[in-house]
């Protein structure tokens, strides 16, 4: 076992064990043990630093102006989550739309919901509304499992509430979110809006207080 010698009040004392040194030395105490060529101060020995309370250096306000402190990037939500990238959201929509249209074609083919007895404009209007509703239900089926659509799952992203960062996994809440998303196609392709705000939120995200994130703790 290593034995330590110290200098107290100008006199050599010891030997002491490591545990015995704790209440006998300070940062400036000279210490020696077998293997050292000369006496050195306790603060120079890494193994003894645990004995001393570490205090921060003096704070100089002029050196730490707010403008000099790098801001946390807007896309960082927490230690585990960041906002989903633009391309991830857009590809999720494209993938999900492709899957939906493929299933639609298998089940319905080229037929539509139109009633030939109705005027064309009215018929097309109701076809669009019905299509949006069915699409919303289709997408919402997967929210309880993926906290998002199939496209979200494939791209490794999910929908969470903005305020509490909780998975958006309610089937019924998801129906309304997806319905607004589908109808917003009339205003402009929904994902276009993510380029105009730092939270990368679409129209339906604003309506329902959601954001789309990626889990980086699993990356």
């Amino acid at each position: 076992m290593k034995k330590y010698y110290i200098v107290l009040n100008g006199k050599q004392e010891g030997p002491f064990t490591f545990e015995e040194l704790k209440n006998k030395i300070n940062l400036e105490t000279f210490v020696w043990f077998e293997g050292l060529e000369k006496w050195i101060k306790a603060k120079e020995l890494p193994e003894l630093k645990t004995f001393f309370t570490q205090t921060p250096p003096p704070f100089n306000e002029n050196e730490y102006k707010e403008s000099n402190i790098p801001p946390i990037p807007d896309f960082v939500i927490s230690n585990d989550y960041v906002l989903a990238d633009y391309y991830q959201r857009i590809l999720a929509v494209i993938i999900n739309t492709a899957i939906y249209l493929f299933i639609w074609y298998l089940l319905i083919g080229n037929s539509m919901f139109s009633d030939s007895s109705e005027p064309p404009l009215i018929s097309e209007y109701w076809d669009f509304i019905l299509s949006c509703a069915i699409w919303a239900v289709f997408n919402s089926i997967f929210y309880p499992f993926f906290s998002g659509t199939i496209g979200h799952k494939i791209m490794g992203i999910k929908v969470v509430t903005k305020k509490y960062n909780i998975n958006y996994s309610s089937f019924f809440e998801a129906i309304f979110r997806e319905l607004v998303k589908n109808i917003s196609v009339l205003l402009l392709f929904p994902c276009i809006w993510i380029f105009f705000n730092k939270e990368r939120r679409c129209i339906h995200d604003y309506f329902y207080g959601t954001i789309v994130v990626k889990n980086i703790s699993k990356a």
Side-chain angles (χ1 to χ4, degrees):
M1 180 180 294
K2 183 185 292 186
K3 297 291 185 176
Y4 297 84
Y5 294 85
I6 60 176
V7 176
L8 291 179
N9 300 318
K11 295 181 180 181
Q12 176 182 313
E13 295 192 16
F16 300 103
T17 64
F18 180 82
E19 291 75 15
E20 292 173 334
L21 287 180
K22 185 171 183 179
N23 297 319
K24 296 181 179 295
I25 64 174
N26 57 47
L27 289 171
E28 301 299 321
T29 302
F30 280 95
V31 179
W32 183 90
F33 54 83
E34 186 175 352
L36 288 181
E37 294 181 359
K38 60 180 180 179
W39 292 82
I40 61 174
K41 293 185 178 180
K43 64 182 180 182
E44 299 178 45
L45 289 172
E47 63 199 78
L48 300 182
K49 287 185 177 180
T50 56
F51 290 161
F52 312 117
T53 302
Q54 299 294 311
T55 57
F59 179 77
N60 186 337
E61 185 176 357
N62 293 327
E63 294 180 3
Y64 295 93
K65 295 294 184 181
E66 185 175 353
S67 59
N68 295 330
I69 301 176
I72 298 175
D74 293 331
F75 60 82
V76 174
I77 304 301
S78 68
N79 291 335
D80 297 324
Y81 292 100
V82 298
L83 290 175
D85 292 331
Y86 300 118
Y87 81 89
Q88 291 173 322
R89 296 204 60 179
I90 293 174
L91 284 178
V93 171
I94 293 174
I95 292 171
N96 207 60
T97 302
I99 294 173
Y100 170 74
L101 292 177
F102 177 72
I103 295 176
W104 178 299
Y105 180 79
L106 290 179
L107 297 178
I108 302 176
N110 294 324
S111 64
M112 294 294 291
F113 297 96
S114 302
D115 184 346
S116 57
S117 64
E118 297 178 339
L121 289 179
I122 296 178
S123 174
E124 292 175 3
Y125 172 79
W126 285 111
D127 283 346
F128 175 77
I129 294 298
L130 185 56
S131 175
C132 287
I134 294 175
W135 193 357
V137 173
F138 170 77
N139 288 340
S140 302
I141 291 173
F142 303 96
Y143 270 73
F145 308 101
F146 305 145
S147 189
T149 64
I150 294 179
H152 288 134
K153 178 63 175 179
I154 292 174
M155 293 308 301
I157 58 181
K158 65 179 182 177
V159 181
V160 300
T161 57
K162 179 178 183 293
K163 187 174 181 181
Y164 299 110
N165 201 29
I166 299 173
N167 289 357
Y168 203 76
S169 56
S170 167
F171 170 74
F172 296 102
E173 290 179 352
I175 287 179
F176 292 107
R177 181 181 185 274
E178 289 295 316
L179 185 60
V180 171
K181 178 170 70 176
N182 297 339
I183 294 177
S184 68
V185 171
L186 293 173
L187 302 177
L188 195 59
F189 183 59
C191 280
I192 292 296
W193 297 98
I194 65 177
F195 295 103
F196 298 98
N197 62 91
K198 66 181 182 179
E199 294 176 327
R200 304 174 188 175
R201 302 174 78 191
C202 296
I203 294 173
H204 45 283
D205 290 316
Y206 282 107
F207 266 89
Y208 292 100
T210 57
I211 55 176
V212 181
V213 299
K214 178 178 179 64
N215 189 335
I216 57 176
S217 66
K218 296 181 180 180

